[in-house]
Amino acid sequence: MAFPKNSFILLFVLICSLSLNAWAKVDMTMEESVEVYLGDSAGIPCQYVFSEQPRAFMIQWFVRNHSSRERIYYGDNAQQIVDDGTDFTGRITVSNIGDKEGVLLTIQDVQLTDEREFFCQVNGMAAGNGEGKTHLRVFDPPMAPVIEGVHAGISVTNELPSRIASCEARNGFPRPNITWYRGISPLTPTHGQINVLILVTRESSGFYTVQSKLQYKVAKEDKDVLFSCEVSYYVPGAVRTAESKGINITVHYPTTVVELWKESPQGLVKEGDTVEIRCQGDGNPPPPFTFNRQQEQETALEASDDTLVLREVTRGDSGVYQCRSLDLDTYEEVMGDMQLIVHYLDPALVVPKDSEIMFKGESLTATCNALSSLQTFTVWFKNGQQVGTGHMLFLQDATYDTAGEYVCEVTVPSLPGLHTSGSVHIIVQGAPQMKDADKEVEMEEGAGKWMNLSCEAHAHPLPTISWTVTGSQSWREVLTSATEHSTISLVSIKVTSDITAFCNATNEMGTEAKSFSISAIPMVTSTAPYSPAEGNGVIIVVVIICVLLLAVLGSVLYFLHKKGKIPCGRSGKQEITKENPNKDGIVVEMKTDTKTEEAVLLKGVNGDKNGPNDQ
C-alpha cells in the first residue's frame, strides 16, 4: 500500500490526538446494502458527525477482497487519490453529499464482481475517528424459462414417478429459483408422487443457470392438464417471476369402457343401405378392436381400425353387434354392443292379380298388401288420379268407365326411401253402349253436300259397327278404329234428300243402335220460292245505285265545264244513246214449292217496273 508524503507525521499527530482526546467520537451512518442492476451506476453514501470540529481530516474507502481489505481511495484536507491497480481504478469517484457532513462513493458500470462490502473510514485526528460498511448487491434478471416435455407417452401403471418435463432458466444473478405448476396449483416434492431435481451451474461469466427436472406419478385425470414452470428472481427492492408456456403430456391409461354406435346413415336403416358402425374406447392409446355379431361370437367381422362397414344390408343383417378391445398392459378385455335393425318393405301383392273381368253392374274389392317392418300407407291411382286410400279398393256397380289400370303405391311415412307398387287391370264385360243411344240425333244440311256421321261404342269384347242408310245411295265408311275398350266408325253421306241413318254396334253380349235424322235443305238459288216483296226490294236497290252514279257523273261534267274543258253550244254536245233495256236486264231463277220454274225479267232503271205477277 502506498502512503502519501508526510504520512508518518500525520500518523504521529493522530496517535497524539487520540491519547489527548480519548473521549472524542464520530457518529457514522451508512446503509446496510445498496442494490443496483448490472451495468448501472451505484452510489454508496457515507455520513459522519464529529462531536467537535476536527483540525485535520482524512477519509479512506476500502473493499473486502476475500479475507482481507483493499484500499481503493484516499482523501484529506490537501489531496484526493484513487488507488491504482484495483478492480475499481478508473470507475469510482468520491464527492461531498450536499450540505451534509459526508461523502458519496460512486461506482460506474457495476460488474458482477463488484458485489462486496465497502468500508468508509473517517479520521478527524483529535476530534475522533469512525468506520462504517455497506454491502453492494448486483442484480441481473435471467432469460425467460424454457420448458420441454417428454415426447413418449407415460403410463398410469408405472409404480414410480416418471420424468415428464424439464425447465431451464439461464444467465441470472443472483441465482434464480424454479417452481413447478400443475394447472394453477404449485407442486411440492412428495414422497412417491413428486420429485424435483435441481442443477445449478455458475457460468464463467459469473451468471447462474438453473435446470429443474420434474418427476411425477401421472393419473388419467392428467391427460388434459397443462404443466408449466415459473422462475423467480431478485431485482432491486423486489422479487419478480416469469412463467413458461404450458405443455400437455401424453398419458397412457387402460380402456375401461367401449362404446359402439351407428355412424351412418342417419336415422333408420333400410335394405340396400351401406351401414358404418364405429367403436371407441376410453383408453389411450386406443386399443385394437374386433367386431362380431352376438350370434357368431367365434367369427370376427372384417373391419378397418375402429370402423365396421356393412354394404347393401338386408333384414338378415339385423341383430346385436359387439366390439371387443384387449388391453395389452393388463390383458383385460372390454366389450360394447349395439342393436342394428334393418327395415324392409316387400313387393306389393295385389288381389286380384294382374287382371280381372267384371260384368257391368257388378262390384269388386281389390286389396294391396306389402309386408313391412314399419307402418305403411297405401294410395290407389287410376290414370294418374287418386281414387282411394288404404289397402282395400271398392269398385261398385261397374260401368265401362270403371275399366282400366289401377295402381296401388305403398310407402312408409317414417322412412321415405321405402316404397313399392302393384297394379290390377280391370276389364268390364257387357253389351255395347253408346252415349244417348235412346235419342234420335236430328240434323239439317244443304242438299247436294256431304255430311260426316260418327259413332263410338264401348264394350268388351270389342263390338263391330255397321251402318244402315236410307234416303241416299251415296255414302261410304271413311274411318274405323278401335281402342282397348271402344270402337269408332266414321261415315260420309251425300245429302240428296231427307236421310235416316242407323249405327249398329254388336258383340257376343248384345247389340246397341243409334239413329240419325238428316233433313235436306234446298239450295238458296234453286229452292227459295219467289216473293214479290223481295223482287221490289232488288229493283229499289238497283235504282238507288243508278241515281248515285248519275249524280256523280253530273258533278264531274259540271266541274269540267267550269274549267273550260267542255265547250258550250250545240256543236259540243255529246249524245248518249240508250241501250236496249232488255240487254241490261237481270234474270233471277226462282223455284216454287211445286218445283215449277219461272223466269222473271227485271227491267232496267227506265224499264217496266211492274211486278212479275202483272206480266
Side-chain angles (χ1 to χ4, degrees):
M1 182 185 300
F3 289 93
K5 188 182 284 187
N6 301 324
S7 59
F8 291 104
I9 297 175
L10 291 173
L11 180 60
F12 176 75
V13 172
L14 177 60
I15 295 173
C16 292
S17 299
L18 292 173
S19 62
L20 294 175
N21 299 286
W23 301 104
K25 66 177 182 177
V26 180
D27 291 331
M28 298 289 295
T29 303
M30 291 188 72
E31 296 180 5
E32 182 179 351
S33 63
V34 171
E35 298 178 343
V36 63
Y37 281 110
L38 177 70
D40 287 354
S41 297
I44 303 176
C46 177
Q47 293 181 324
Y48 46 85
V49 178
F50 288 96
S51 59
E52 60 182 55
Q53 188 66 29
R55 296 179 181 178
F57 176 79
M58 180 178 65
I59 184 169
Q60 298 179 92
W61 282 94
F62 296 87
V63 63
R64 184 179 296 280
N65 191 358
H66 301 295
S67 60
S68 62
R69 294 185 181 185
E70 180 182 19
R71 197 182 74 174
I72 59 175
Y73 172 84
Y74 170 84
D76 57 23
N77 294 339
Q79 56 187 344
Q80 295 182 356
I81 299 173
V82 176
D83 291 281
D84 294 330
T86 71
D87 293 337
F88 300 92
T89 301
R91 291 195 298 126
I92 61 173
T93 59
V94 178
S95 58
N96 293 325
I97 303 176
D99 56 352
K100 298 180 181 180
E101 293 184 6
V103 294
L104 178 67
L105 172 65
T106 302
I107 305 173
Q108 304 291 336
D109 190 18
V110 173
Q111 306 297 315
L112 293 181
T113 56
D114 294 344
E115 182 163 323
R116 309 184 200 178
E117 287 183 331
F118 288 81
F119 300 89
C120 175
Q121 285 186 357
V122 177
N123 192 340
M125 304 306 175
N129 60 75
E131 181 181 275
K133 67 177 180 178
T134 295
H135 194 115
L136 180 63
R137 297 186 180 277
V138 182
F139 299 90
D140 192 36
M143 300 171 64
V146 177
I147 188 172
E148 183 177 358
V150 296
H151 300 291
I154 305 169
S155 176
V156 298
T157 59
N158 292 347
E159 296 181 358
L160 298 176
S162 304
R163 185 173 72 90
I164 65 171
S166 62
C167 181
E168 183 179 59
R170 298 182 59 84
N171 298 333
F173 192 89
R175 190 191 83 176
N177 295 312
I178 292 177
T179 303
W180 286 96
Y181 283 84
R182 178 187 181 274
I184 60 173
S185 301
L187 297 175
T188 56
T190 304
H191 179 70
Q193 294 292 327
I194 303 173
N195 293 332
V196 178
L197 305 179
I198 298 176
L199 176 65
V200 180
T201 303
R202 184 73 182 267
E203 308 289 348
S204 59
S205 59
F207 292 107
Y208 288 96
T209 293
V210 179
Q211 292 178 321
S212 179
K213 296 180 180 180
L214 176 63
Q215 294 178 342
Y216 183 80
K217 186 172 175 58
V218 298
K220 181 179 179 180
E221 293 74 17
D222 296 318
K223 62 185 180 68
D224 299 319
V225 174
L226 292 179
F227 289 85
S228 62
C229 63
E230 178 187 79
V231 59
S232 58
Y233 55 92
Y234 293 96
V235 296
V239 177
R240 293 182 181 173
T241 59
E243 237 182 273
S244 72
K245 66 178 183 179
I247 62 169
N248 184 259
I249 60 175
T250 302
V251 181
H252 288 176
Y253 45 89
T255 299
T256 58
V257 177
V258 170
E259 291 182 333
L260 196 62
W261 73 94
K262 176 172 62 68
E263 183 75 14
S264 67
Q266 299 297 320
L268 301 176
V269 179
K270 66 181 184 299
E271 287 188 323
D273 285 344
T274 296
V275 179
E276 289 188 7
I277 299 176
R278 287 198 59 191
C279 182
Q280 186 178 61
D282 62 347
N284 188 44
F289 298 109
T290 57
F291 292 86
N292 65 274
R293 294 182 64 179
Q294 190 178 47
Q295 302 88 334
E296 305 165 358
Q297 296 186 9
E298 301 301 325
T299 304
L301 300 175
E302 184 177 352
S304 175
D305 296 330
D306 62 348
T307 303
L308 172 66
V309 179
L310 304 175
R311 304 185 185 280
E312 297 183 354
V313 294
T314 66
R315 68 195 72 181
D317 293 315
S318 296
V320 177
Y321 285 79
Q322 297 175 334
C323 171
R324 302 171 184 270
S325 72
L326 179 64
D327 190 276
L328 300 180
D329 292 332
T330 62
Y331 294 100
E332 292 182 359
E333 186 180 71
V334 184
M335 183 191 71
D337 57 24
M338 64 159 284
Q339 176 82 29
L340 176 65
I341 300 176
V342 179
H343 294 286
Y344 57 88
L345 177 64
D346 286 343
L349 178 62
V350 181
V351 178
K353 186 179 180 181
D354 297 334
S355 64
E356 180 72 9
I357 297 176
M358 298 176 62
F359 290 101
K360 287 178 60 178
E362 281 189 341
S363 296
L364 174 70
T365 299
T367 60
C368 178
N369 292 288
L371 184 62
S372 176
S373 58
L374 296 169
Q375 186 70 34
T376 60
F377 181 70
T378 305
V379 181
W380 292 86
F381 294 92
K382 180 186 179 187
N383 299 328
Q385 300 294 321
Q386 180 177 325
V387 294
T389 58
H391 73 282
M392 301 180 70
L393 177 67
F394 301 98
L395 302 177
Q396 297 179 341
D397 194 15
T399 66
Y400 288 126
D401 292 335
T402 307
E405 185 87 7
Y406 290 84
V407 178
C408 70
E409 292 189 358
V410 183
T411 58
V412 177
S414 58
L415 191 52
L418 283 180
H419 58 85
T420 185
S421 64
S423 65
V424 58
H425 188 76
I426 300 298
I427 300 171
V428 178
Q429 186 169 304
Q433 178 180 315
M434 291 185 287
K435 185 178 180 181
D436 296 331
D438 56 340
K439 297 180 181 179
E440 184 179 45
V441 180
E442 297 181 353
M443 296 178 290
E444 293 182 347
E445 185 57 270
K449 292 187 176 181
W450 288 85
M451 188 175 188
N452 294 329
L453 300 179
S454 65
C455 189
E456 180 178 6
H458 296 268
H460 186 83
L462 279 176
T464 58
I465 296 178
S466 61
W467 291 86
T468 302
V469 180
T470 59
S472 176
Q473 298 298 322
S474 300
W475 67 276
R476 61 182 179 272
E477 189 174 24
V478 296
L479 174 66
T480 300
S481 66
T483 64
E484 186 178 0
H485 305 290
S486 63
T487 302
I488 300 175
S489 176
L490 178 66
V491 297
S492 184
I493 303 174
K494 185 176 182 180
V495 180
T496 56
S497 62
D498 292 344
I499 298 172
T500 299
F502 291 93
C503 167
N504 302 295
T506 304
N507 69 358
E508 61 188 40
M509 306 296 294
T511 301
E512 180 89 312
K514 186 174 184 179
S515 64
F516 299 86
S517 177
I518 305 173
S519 298
I521 302 174
M523 296 297 292
V524 174
T525 57
S526 60
T527 62
Y530 174 76
S531 172
E534 291 180 1
N536 291 334
V538 173
I539 294 173
I540 293 172
V541 170
V542 173
V543 170
I544 292 173
I545 292 173
C546 292
V547 171
L548 291 175
L549 290 174
L550 290 174
V552 172
L553 180 61
S555 299
V556 171
L557 293 175
Y558 178 77
F559 178 76
L560 294 175
H561 172 72
K562 285 294 185 180
K563 293 294 184 179
K565 300 295 183 179
I566 300 177
C568 294
R570 301 177 67 91
S571 61
K573 287 184 179 179
Q574 299 289 328
E575 186 175 346
I576 302 175
T577 61
K578 291 197 295 182
E579 297 291 336
N580 189 343
N582 292 333
K583 294 181 181 180
D584 294 331
I586 299 174
V587 178
V588 180
E589 185 180 72
M590 297 291 200
K591 289 186 178 181
T592 64
D593 292 339
T594 57
K595 299 183 181 180
T596 59
E597 295 181 357
E598 236 181 72
V600 180
L601 177 63
L602 301 180
K603 300 293 186 177
V605 175
N606 296 321
D608 191 356
K609 296 181 181 180
N610 293 329
N613 295 332
D614 298 334
Q615 291 183 5

